[in-house]
């Protein structure tokens, strides 16, 4: 007598087609079934043709800038602050170099420059308190 998988007649007709032979890829046998058996709710038209899907994304305007004036103001402030920080690093390099060579007068003027540039950044920070 031939088996059901060999194409012979079986005693009771089965509504499902015979299952293919699976190559195990997981230690859990339940995960080795095809996707259509693991997730019967997913149909070939799921996504674009599924009536349960009513919204396809976050909507128009998502991810774009909502306040361009505020963004430009913050970008300008950030660029100015970064310029001051780079100037402070350059000034610190000069001050340390002058201090090490023994020219303390120039080093003190450079230290004053560093304090002044720090006060500029502090003033930028205090400029708009509601923006923090």
């Amino acid at each position: 007598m031939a088996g059901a998988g060999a194409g012979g007649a079986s005693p009771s007709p089965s509504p499902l087609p015979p299952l293919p032979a699976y190559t195990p890829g997981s230690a859990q046998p339940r995960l080795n079934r095809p996707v259509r058996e693991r997730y019967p709710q997913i149909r070939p038209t799921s996504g674009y043709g599924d009536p349960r899907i009513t919204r396809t994304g976050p909507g128009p305007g998502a991810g774009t800038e909502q306040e361009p004036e505020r963004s430009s103001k913050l970008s300008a402030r950030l660029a100015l602050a970064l310029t001051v920080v780079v100037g402070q690093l350059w000034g610190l390099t000069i001050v340390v170099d002058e201090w090490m060579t023994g020219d303390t007068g120039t080093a003190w003027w450079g230290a004053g420059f560093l304090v002044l540039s720090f006060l500029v950044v502090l003033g930028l920070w205090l400029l708009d308190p509601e923006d923090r």
Side-chain angles (χ1 to χ4, degrees):
M1 180 171 173
S10 64
S12 62
S14 175
L16 296 174
L19 298 176
Y22 301 118
T23 304
S26 174
Q28 300 178 18
R30 65 182 181 82
L31 298 177
N32 294 328
R33 296 176 296 143
V35 173
R36 63 180 163 76
E37 289 181 15
R38 282 184 282 162
Y39 305 103
Q41 71 273 17
I42 298 177
R43 298 183 302 274
T45 59
S46 287
Y48 64 90
D50 195 338
R52 296 174 292 176
I53 297 177
T54 58
R55 293 173 183 84
T56 59
T64 59
E65 184 57 52
Q66 301 298 320
E67 299 179 54
E69 293 85 10
R70 180 175 180 267
S71 175
S72 64
K73 181 172 59 171
L74 290 176
S75 296
R77 194 181 305 164
L78 179 66
L80 189 56
L82 288 175
T83 303
V84 171
V85 167
V86 168
Q88 283 179 328
L89 291 173
W90 171 78
L92 184 61
T93 303
I94 299 298
V95 167
V96 169
D97 187 39
E98 292 298 318
W99 185 269
M100 291 297 192
T101 59
D103 191 4
T104 56
T106 307
W108 282 113
W109 279 107
F113 167 77
L114 293 175
V115 169
L116 180 66
S117 63
F118 173 75
L119 292 175
V120 167
V121 172
L122 187 62
L124 288 173
W125 183 71
L126 292 172
L127 192 63
D128 202 2
E130 71 268 358
D131 220 11
R132 282 181 248 135

